Amino acid sequence: MTTYQEFAKEWRILEYMDVKDYSSSLPLRTLITHLPLDKRTMTEEGKYVYLARNPWDVCVSFYLMMINLSNFKFQDGTFEDFVDTFVNGNFGYGDYFEHVAAGYAHREEPNVLFLTYEELKKNTREVVLRLAYFLGEQYGRALEKDEAFLQRVLERSKPEYMRNVVVVDLSAGDNPQWNEAFSRERITCIEGHEGEENKYSYVRNGKVGSWKDYFSPALLRKMEHRILEAEKQSSFMDLWKDIREFVTHLVFDKPTMTQEGKYVYLDFVDAFVEAILAMETTSST
């Protein structure tokens, strides 16, 4: 697929589209949903791919989406306000922590592939092959036998490529059922794709760690408090132990932020100042 129009014809969103008689020109039907995994609505024949992302980056990504799209009516909202909403779970499709906990609980099911965004970014080739074999042995073998084909898949999986393909036209959907959904409300973007307010790119920068440019220590403490509550029900936050440890240092070692928005540890700053003062004292004597 090289255009969003091709992509849009081959997928359905369960919450918005009728999928009863949906058939695809591809070997497999592609269905996506914002709803959490629930054993009561899962089938043995279906294959479920759950992609989890760390809560700090999800919070930032969702915030940027909400201030960009007019239908959320949050374009003047602050990040501080959104963090409060995020940790309370009062938006969209429910609580982030409950959602990921539900997916994590099914990670051992034979027809569930549970992945994290961070491992996808770090080991894209490995994850692509795992996904291919999960969907069908023949797909995995085909990729492993054809290195050129695999490289083409990897190239088209990069954010730089997808940013120009996964672009939805908000004024005229490329799927008849999208047309009906979009006709209910005129949706525009503040930062539309290539300057067009009616076009929205689902892919922004695709980076891990963008949260560092938005979270203050006070907001990190709010998030940590919610994480502690979530840990009483599930251990899924162990997926991001490394990020959690870094955040813990930021919260409890009392960092400050420079004008450029970068974190600096106060103990390091204090030591640096003391060293400068010591040098001045020595030179004056």
Side-chain angles (χ1 to χ4, degrees), residues 40-56:
R40 294 170 296 180
T41 58
M42 297 169 66
T43 66
E44 293 183 1
E45 298 80 12
K47 294 193 175 185
Y48 301 85
V49 180
Y50 192 102
L51 184 65
R53 190 179 188 184
N54 77 75
W56 304 277

Side-chain angles (χ1 to χ4, degrees), residues 83-128:
V83 171
D84 286 338
T85 300
F86 185 86
V87 297
N88 291 321
N90 297 326
F91 67 96
Y93 295 89
D95 185 275
Y96 161 88
F97 298 93
E98 293 176 359
H99 198 296
V100 179
Y104 190 69
H106 293 290
R107 67 191 184 282
E108 302 297 338
E109 299 286 342
N111 62 337
V112 173
L113 178 62
F114 186 96
L115 302 167
T116 68
Y117 187 80
E118 292 73 22
E119 67 178 314
L120 173 62
K121 290 289 295 183
K122 185 177 181 180
N123 302 304
T124 307
R125 180 191 178 95
E126 176 187 327
V127 172
V128 165

Side-chain angles (χ1 to χ4, degrees), residues 2-285:
T2 58
T3 67
Y4 177 79
Q5 286 74 16
E6 293 175 306
F7 176 76
K9 292 177 182 177
E10 301 296 348
W11 63 297
R12 297 290 186 273
I13 300 182
L14 292 179
E15 301 92 284
Y16 302 115
M17 300 178 177
D18 182 10
V19 299
K20 183 178 180 181
D21 299 318
Y22 162 50
S23 61
S24 174
S25 62
L26 300 176
L28 299 173
R29 297 195 308 165
T30 303
L31 304 171
I32 65 174
T33 181
H34 299 88
L35 303 175
L37 281 182
D38 189 324
K39 193 69 174 179
R40 294 170 296 180
T41 58
M42 297 169 66
T43 66
E44 293 183 1
E45 298 80 12
K47 294 193 175 185
Y48 301 85
V49 180
Y50 192 102
L51 184 65
R53 190 179 188 184
N54 77 75
W56 304 277
D57 278 337
V58 168
C59 186
V60 169
S61 181
F62 207 159
Y63 165 71
L64 293 175
M65 180 180 182
M66 289 190 71
I67 62 174
N68 192 9
L69 292 173
S70 63
N71 60 311
F72 288 111
K73 297 178 174 57
F74 194 73
Q75 292 177 316
D76 295 323
T78 66
F79 185 61
E80 288 75 11
D81 289 337
F82 185 75
V83 171
D84 286 338
T85 300
F86 185 86
V87 297
N88 291 321
N90 297 326
F91 67 96
Y93 295 89
D95 185 275
Y96 161 88
F97 298 93
E98 293 176 359
H99 198 296
V100 179
Y104 190 69
H106 293 290
R107 67 191 184 282
E108 302 297 338
E109 299 286 342
N111 62 337
V112 173
L113 178 62
F114 186 96
L115 302 167
T116 68
Y117 187 80
E118 292 73 22
E119 67 178 314
L120 173 62
K121 290 289 295 183
K122 185 177 181 180
N123 302 304
T124 307
R125 180 191 178 95
E126 176 187 327
V127 172
V128 165
L129 287 172
R130 283 176 59 195
L131 174 60
Y133 274 107
F134 173 74
L135 295 176
E137 187 79 16
Q138 67 274 29
Y139 304 121
R141 288 199 305 268
L143 282 182
E144 284 200 302
K145 289 181 179 179
D146 191 338
E147 181 63 26
F149 182 35
L150 175 56
Q151 288 301 319
R152 192 158 64 249
V153 171
L154 295 175
E155 185 65 30
R156 293 185 178 184
S157 299
K158 292 181 178 179
E160 297 80 9
Y161 182 89
M162 295 181 66
R163 190 177 297 123
N164 296 309
V165 174
V166 190
V167 179
V168 60
D169 187 340
L170 299 170
S171 61
D174 300 299
N175 181 299
Q177 295 181 49
W178 271 124
N179 287 334
E180 181 181 351
F182 290 149
S183 65
R184 299 171 193 156
E185 181 178 1
R186 183 176 182 271
I187 304 173
T188 58
C189 306
I190 289 181
E191 296 181 6
H193 180 65
E194 296 183 342
E196 296 188 43
E197 67 172 12
N198 293 320
K199 291 187 177 181
Y200 176 74
S201 177
Y202 283 110
V203 180
R204 192 169 53 88
N205 60 28
K207 294 181 180 179
V208 175
S210 294
W211 62 267
K212 298 174 188 176
D213 298 326
Y214 291 86
F215 273 88
S216 66
L219 294 178
L220 287 173
R221 282 191 286 272
K222 284 187 178 182
M223 184 71 83
E224 178 63 19
H225 179 74
R226 180 64 184 90
I227 290 172
L228 291 172
E229 290 296 316
E231 285 184 320
K232 296 176 182 178
Q233 307 297 326
S234 173
S235 61
F236 74 84
M237 281 303 301
D238 288 345
L239 295 166
W240 302 291
K241 280 184 177 180
D242 54 341
I243 301 177
R244 183 97 178 275
E245 289 175 358
F246 180 69
V247 168
T248 300
H249 284 304
L250 291 179
V251 171
F252 295 107
D253 289 348
K254 297 181 180 179
T256 187
M257 293 183 75
T258 66
Q259 290 183 343
E260 293 76 23
K262 303 299 182 182
Y263 285 105
V264 177
Y265 289 105
L266 287 178
D267 53 357
F268 172 79
V269 174
D270 292 341
F272 180 75
V273 171
E274 289 177 3
I276 295 296
L277 291 175
M279 291 174 61
E280 291 178 347
T281 302
T282 302
S283 61
S284 63
T285 57

